[in-house]
Amino acid sequence: MENMPLEIETLIIAEIAQAITPEEQAHLNELRDNDPAIQVLSDKLYGQLGGLHRKTNEEMEESVRHIIALANAGKVYKRRSILVGLRFPLIAAASLLGIFLLATKGYESYLGKIPELARQENDENTYLFDGNQWMSVKDGELNINEDGQLYSNNTRLSTPEKLFTRSNAAIQVGRRKTLSITLADGSSIVANAGSTIRLPKRFAENERKVFISGEAYCDIASRAGHPFIVSYPTGKVEVLGTAFNVRTYDNETPSIAVVEGRVKVDNQGATTILTEGQKATYIQGQYRVAAFDVNVVTAWKKNVVFFPNASKQEVESAFEIYYGKKLSIDRAFPKGMGRINIVRSEKESEFVDQLPHDLKEVPSKDGILHVQ
């Protein structure tokens, strides 16, 4: 069991959470029948997690906390594991929380079983989780073909051959980077810096689902009877064929802007229908819908940030999203900072040089870039 593939554990977890497809179930049954070690692993996981979906929320949270404590104490499997990840306690906690959600929320959380990558917030590398391990993706493009094979810059990535049917992939886009993803159905997603995308290498027969946290521009191919669903941390967008921008960074309120077509948005139970030219922002339990300038909303795709009349907070947020570092504008602008059009580059100083009002960097030792 020392070298048991992560595929086996994720299959068993999906079975426990009752989120396994018939094809995956047949594959898992065959594996257990042919390898006694897999049966032993299955028994252990059922012993730890098998009752989660029958417990109350409080009981499930207590179970998760207990398993995390065991993992951190080194009392559970002492090997590289989707459950424990002893070398990376953050991965252990994130993975176990994913299991807790998986048992209660179905397919969206099934995608969430992919372990989070323990890395610094300002990491400039883009990473891909291929179903077995995290790998660095240096090129700014990623393609997935109909067989679920991954390509970067026309070169096939070295990924495991024997993954289960609905194998998932995750992409974490580095700071100072954007990534263009082309899906097998012809849809495309351009992800902004600091974003996370999780998606199946092969879509299910009756629908197409992906998860986005951060910001992405989605151009969705129309397929009758195959709706495309974009889930984000607090809601989802349902489309049949359209282009829209979704922005869901942690420190901001979620917003959806429709460039073409028509979508239905749902955030914590609040729903609305958006058509071309409409942008919805979720504020205080409801959507506020207004017209938007597509050149402003999608400027980031060309590495540009544009504000007709920027506030300090907007500029500081735009800097942190791209560079993974806090910016503090130490001057008051009660009527706004005016029109700002900044071309993003690798150098933080070039961002600052483009700010109006002759703002200059000042020495600081608190890890924050101060300008005044």
Side-chain angles (χ1 to χ4, degrees):
M1 293 176 58
E2 284 294 321
N3 298 313
M4 192 72 69
L6 292 181
E7 171 202 353
I8 309 302
E9 289 179 288
T10 50
L11 275 173
I12 298 170
I13 292 167
E15 181 184 52
I16 293 171
Q18 300 175 1
I20 192 169
T21 68
E23 295 86 356
E24 292 166 357
Q25 185 69 70
H27 182 41
L28 176 58
N29 292 341
E30 181 181 1
L31 291 171
R32 272 195 295 236
D33 291 341
N34 295 327
D35 190 341
I38 295 177
Q39 182 62 57
V40 172
L41 174 62
S42 181
D43 292 341
K44 286 188 176 181
L45 294 185
Y46 264 90
Q48 291 176 331
L49 304 172
L52 284 182
H53 62 277
R54 292 189 294 272
K55 297 181 179 181
T56 64
N57 289 344
E58 292 76 12
E59 289 172 333
M60 285 190 286
E61 290 172 358
E62 179 59 33
S63 295
V64 170
R65 284 194 293 269
H66 175 65
I67 299 172
I68 291 175
L70 290 176
N72 290 334
K75 295 179 181 179
V76 190
Y77 315 121
K78 293 185 178 180
R79 60 187 179 82
R80 183 173 179 270
S81 168
I82 196 172
L83 290 176
V84 187
L86 294 176
R87 291 179 296 170
F88 304 102
L90 288 177
I91 293 180
S95 299
L96 288 166
L97 179 58
I99 295 166
F100 164 70
L101 294 174
L102 178 63
T104 59
K105 292 187 179 180
Y107 183 77
E108 283 77 8
S109 296
Y110 180 52
L111 284 179
K113 72 179 179 293
I114 298 171
E116 295 295 329
L117 175 64
R119 61 170 182 162
Q120 297 298 317
E121 284 297 314
N122 61 350
D123 197 329
E124 296 178 20
N125 294 316
T126 293
Y127 294 95
L128 164 73
F129 183 75
D130 65 355
N132 181 57
Q133 63 182 347
W134 287 99
M135 65 174 68
S136 178
V137 177
K138 300 184 183 300
D139 188 62
E141 295 184 0
L142 185 69
N143 296 281
I144 305 176
N145 69 10
E146 293 182 354
D147 295 326
Q149 297 170 342
L150 303 170
Y151 289 83
S152 180
N153 195 25
N154 296 321
T155 300
R156 183 178 175 183
L157 299 179
S158 178
T159 60
E161 294 290 340
K162 297 181 179 179
L163 290 173
F164 54 93
T165 303
R166 196 172 59 199
S167 174
N168 302 315
I171 301 101
Q172 293 187 1
V173 183
R175 300 296 179 177
R176 311 173 197 239
K177 299 287 192 300
T178 60
L179 179 69
S180 176
I181 307 167
T182 302
L183 307 179
D185 68 345
S187 300
S188 64
I189 297 173
V190 182
N192 202 356
S195 299
T196 296
I197 312 293
R198 295 199 297 266
L199 67 165
K201 293 181 185 177
R202 296 179 182 175
F203 287 122
E205 292 184 1
N206 60 341
E207 62 185 4
R208 300 166 288 170
K209 290 186 177 181
V210 301
F211 172 89
I212 296 173
S213 176
E215 183 170 24
Y217 183 85
C218 305
D219 192 347
I220 306 305
S222 179
R223 291 184 62 188
H226 296 76
F228 199 104
I229 299 174
V230 175
S231 296
Y232 55 91
T234 59
K236 64 181 180 180
V237 184
E238 297 182 39
V239 302
L240 291 175
T242 189
F244 61 95
N245 195 83
V246 53
R247 187 178 177 99
T248 66
Y249 286 111
D250 290 342
N251 61 341
E252 299 180 359
T253 56
S255 66
I256 312 296
V258 179
V259 178
E260 296 177 4
R262 184 171 178 267
V263 306
K264 176 183 179 181
V265 293
D266 183 333
N267 197 96
Q268 299 179 342
T271 63
T272 190
I273 301 293
L274 299 177
T275 57
E276 182 174 325
Q278 291 185 318
K279 176 182 176 181
T281 304
Y282 183 77
I283 301 176
Q284 297 180 341
Q286 61 183 353
Y287 280 109
R288 296 184 183 177
V289 179
F292 70 97
D293 185 334
V294 65
N295 293 319
V296 173
V297 170
T298 64
W300 64 267
K301 294 173 59 185
K302 298 178 180 179
N303 269 331
V304 174
V305 288
F306 173 73
F307 302 105
N309 183 26
S311 67
K312 289 200 310 180
Q313 292 76 15
E314 287 175 329
V315 176
E316 290 169 348
S317 177
F319 182 89
E320 184 176 358
I321 285 170
Y322 193 65
Y323 294 101
K325 180 178 180 179
K326 290 188 179 297
L327 171 70
S328 178
I329 301 174
D330 302 332
R331 193 190 299 181
F333 293 96
K335 296 183 179 180
M337 296 180 64
R339 182 186 179 93
I340 295 181
N341 187 8
I342 297 176
V343 178
R344 301 189 302 192
S345 71
E346 292 288 324
K347 297 180 180 180
E348 300 168 3
S349 60
E350 293 183 359
F351 186 102
V352 174
D353 289 343
Q354 296 176 77
L355 293 176
H357 308 287
D358 197 31
L359 292 172
K360 301 296 183 183
E361 182 178 352
V362 295
S364 174
K365 296 182 180 179
D366 59 5
I368 299 174
L369 180 61
H370 289 266
V371 297
Q372 63 181 28

